[in-house]
């Protein structure tokens, strides 16, 4: 009986690992590796997978201004999900700011840093964080968790790279560097 349980656990573990590995391979694929027909065939579908048209949304910025994804049409857009207490999120903020200041205009790129405000103690914490870190790119507040749900955000930071036509070209899980952002913006043009 003990051997049977160990065998079942082993098989279940192997299946879980196989599914996870398959999922990871799909997540890591570079947009350039996608077949043109895949991107074209999925581009009319609104969704959160690479090759889908990104769902439009409207959130308020830290300054109280309404900002929509459609406002950035014609630009490469980084939709970055983050919180102030997340160490990898804090790690990538200086690189994001440097990219925004130095390369964003040249590459015709925009950053929408979507703070998962439902996971913060208050929106004031987000304002203080932005001021302390001299962040000048748009910070949007997901105060009801709707966008977090729409984009099925579990791990933070998670960033969606949207091309100039509104198509999701890449999903990045984990912190980004300035160099990575440059490469992604260049390939999504």
């Amino acid at each position: 009986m003990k051997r049977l349980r160990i065998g079942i656990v082993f098989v279940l573990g192997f299946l879980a690992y196989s599914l996870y590995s398959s999922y990871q391979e799909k997540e890591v694929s570079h947009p350039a590796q996608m077949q043109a027909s895949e991107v074209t065939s999925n581009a009319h579908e609104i969704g959160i997978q690479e090759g889908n048209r990104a769902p439009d949304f409207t959130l308020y910025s830290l300054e109280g201004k309404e900002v929509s994804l459609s406002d950035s049409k014609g630009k490469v857009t980084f939709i970055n999900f983050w919180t102030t207490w997340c160490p990898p999120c804090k790690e990538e903020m200086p690189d994001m700011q440097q990219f925004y200041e130095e390369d964003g205009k040249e590459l015709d790129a925009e950053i929408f840093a979507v703070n998962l405000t439902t996971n913060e103690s208050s929106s004031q914490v987000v304002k203080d964080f932005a001021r302390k870190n001299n962040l000048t790119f748009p910070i949007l507040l997901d105060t009801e968790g709707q966008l977090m749900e729409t984009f099925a955000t579990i791990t933070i930071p998670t960033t969606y790279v949207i091309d100039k036509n509104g198509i999701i070209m890449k999903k990045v899980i984990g912190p980004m560097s300035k160099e990575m952002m440059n490469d992604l913006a260049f390939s999504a043009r």
Side-chain angles (χ1 to χ4, degrees):
M1 191 64 152
K2 186 176 181 181
R3 283 186 176 166
L4 178 62
R5 276 191 233 142
I6 290 172
I8 290 172
V9 169
F10 176 78
V11 168
L12 290 174
F14 179 76
L15 288 173
Y17 176 77
S18 296
L19 286 171
Y20 175 77
S21 294
S22 172
Y23 173 78
Q24 286 296 86
E25 287 174 14
K26 289 178 185 173
E27 287 296 310
V28 178
S29 69
H30 192 279
Q33 295 171 338
M34 293 180 75
Q35 298 293 339
S37 60
E38 286 182 72
V39 173
T40 305
S41 67
N42 292 336
H44 68 282
E45 295 178 35
I46 296 175
I48 61 169
Q49 302 301 316
E50 291 177 6
N52 288 150
R53 179 167 304 285
D56 197 13
F57 60 84
T58 302
L59 293 175
Y60 286 97
S61 69
L62 280 178
E63 298 76 30
K65 178 183 171 192
E66 274 193 1
V67 177
S68 297
L69 177 59
S70 55
D71 295 341
S72 68
K73 187 170 173 86
K75 293 184 173 192
V76 174
T77 306
F78 292 85
I79 304 172
N80 175 264
F81 293 92
W82 68 287
T83 61
T84 61
W85 49 264
C86 159
C89 301
K90 291 178 188 180
E91 175 187 322
E92 75 179 346
M93 287 294 167
D95 281 303
M96 287 173 56
Q97 180 61 39
Q98 191 176 14
F99 169 81
Y100 186 72
E101 288 176 2
E102 296 175 6
D103 304 314
K105 286 184 183 175
E106 180 183 326
L107 293 171
D108 205 17
E110 182 64 86
I111 297 173
F112 290 153
V114 178
N115 178 265
L116 305 179
T117 316
T118 55
N119 293 309
E120 302 281 6
S121 58
S122 71
S123 59
Q124 186 61 47
V125 170
V126 183
K127 289 178 184 177
D128 293 343
F129 181 89
R131 186 174 41 252
K132 178 182 174 188
N133 291 284
N134 301 312
L135 303 178
T136 60
F137 48 80
I139 296 176
L140 310 180
L141 302 174
D142 188 14
T143 58
E144 296 179 18
Q146 291 173 324
L147 205 58
M148 178 177 73
E149 187 176 309
T150 298
F151 280 85
T153 306
I154 298 169
T155 306
I156 52 174
T158 292
T159 304
Y160 287 83
V161 183
I162 315 299
D163 76 5
K164 293 182 175 199
N165 298 311
I167 306 302
I168 297 172
M169 295 305 295
K170 185 73 176 159
K171 177 180 177 183
V172 179
I173 297 175
M176 296 181 298
S177 67
K178 179 179 183 271
E179 293 76 24
M180 180 189 295
M181 292 181 77
N182 275 307
D183 291 345
L184 290 166
F186 188 76
S187 66
R189 292 170 48 171

